[in-house]
Each structure stands twice: as structure tokens, then as C-alpha cells.
Amino acid sequence: MNTFAIALLSIVLSVTAQFSLKAGMSQPGVQAAMAQPFSLGSLISVIANKYVLGGFVLYGLGAVIWLGVLSKWDVSKAYPLVGLGFVFTVLAGLMVGEQVSPLRAGGVALICAGVFVVARS
């Protein structure tokens, strides 16, 4: 697998982690725990949620894969690709019914242009 594909895999895992965390944080039990004053019990209730825990696992896996990217590319080349996470997140958001304003879409287009310029350098 080439380095670009590995970078994309890491980014996709991070985006998936975001949606998993959002699903977990939207659960009634987690919402109730978040409404309480901070305690070890409320922290455990949040972390023990399968979606929250899954999100953390996905982030961890994405980070480990990202280390492989950093071992082959300069940070100045690799890190702008993280901007693709914005694109994937907006696209995934659209698929789950989130609203995307023209201003947000324009911002994502600017990010894509920046990633393209960096990738060509």
C-alpha cells in the first residue's frame, strides 16, 4: 500500500471516530452522565459507552497508522492531508442528514485547493 493510501486510511479512521463519538455522546445515558457534576462515575459512564469507546479505539488506530505516514514523509507534506478530513466529514455529515451551508461548502473547497497545492509541491 502506498503512503498516500495509508494517509487516507488514517484520515478515514479519524472521521469515522468522530461520528462514533457523536453517536455515543447523543445516547440518553451519556447525556444524563454529562448533565451531572463531574465524578469518576460519570466519566466511566461516558467512556464505557460502546460508541464512545469505539471512537477512541478508531482514533488510536488512526494515530498508529499515521505514524507510518510520518516515517516516510515530511510533516510539512503529510499534515495538510489532514485537511481532507474536513471534506470527508462534511460528506459523511450530508449522508446522515446534516445541513451544509454554501459558506461551509466554500470553506471545504478552499481546503481542497490547499491540499492540492501542497500535494503538487
Side-chain angles (χ1 to χ4, degrees):
M1 189 179 282
N2 69 34
T3 305
F4 184 75
I6 293 169
L8 286 180
L9 175 61
S10 174
I11 293 163
V12 167
L13 286 171
S14 294
V15 170
T16 306
Q18 276 295 322
F19 282 91
S20 182
L21 290 170
K22 173 62 177 167
M25 296 307 292
S26 298
Q27 298 285 307
V30 172
Q31 293 271 320
M34 293 297 292
Q36 301 298 318
F38 178 79
S39 69
L40 183 58
S42 62
L43 178 64
I44 290 170
S45 292
V46 172
I47 293 174
N49 178 276
K50 65 183 178 181
Y51 297 109
V52 172
L53 185 59
F56 285 141
V57 168
L58 289 169
Y59 263 131
L61 184 57
V64 169
I65 291 170
W66 189 253
L67 292 174
V69 174
L70 293 178
S71 73
K72 294 176 175 52
W73 282 355
D74 293 337
V75 174
S76 62
K77 179 180 180 182
Y79 196 73
L81 289 178
V82 174
L84 292 176
F86 289 101
V87 176
F88 297 154
T89 301
V90 168
L91 293 174
L94 283 170
M95 289 190 292
V96 298
E98 292 185 0
Q99 299 296 314
V100 177
S101 68
L103 188 59
R104 187 176 303 168
V108 170
L110 287 172
I111 290 168
C112 289
V115 169
F116 177 77
V117 168
V118 170
R120 302 282 299 165
S121 64

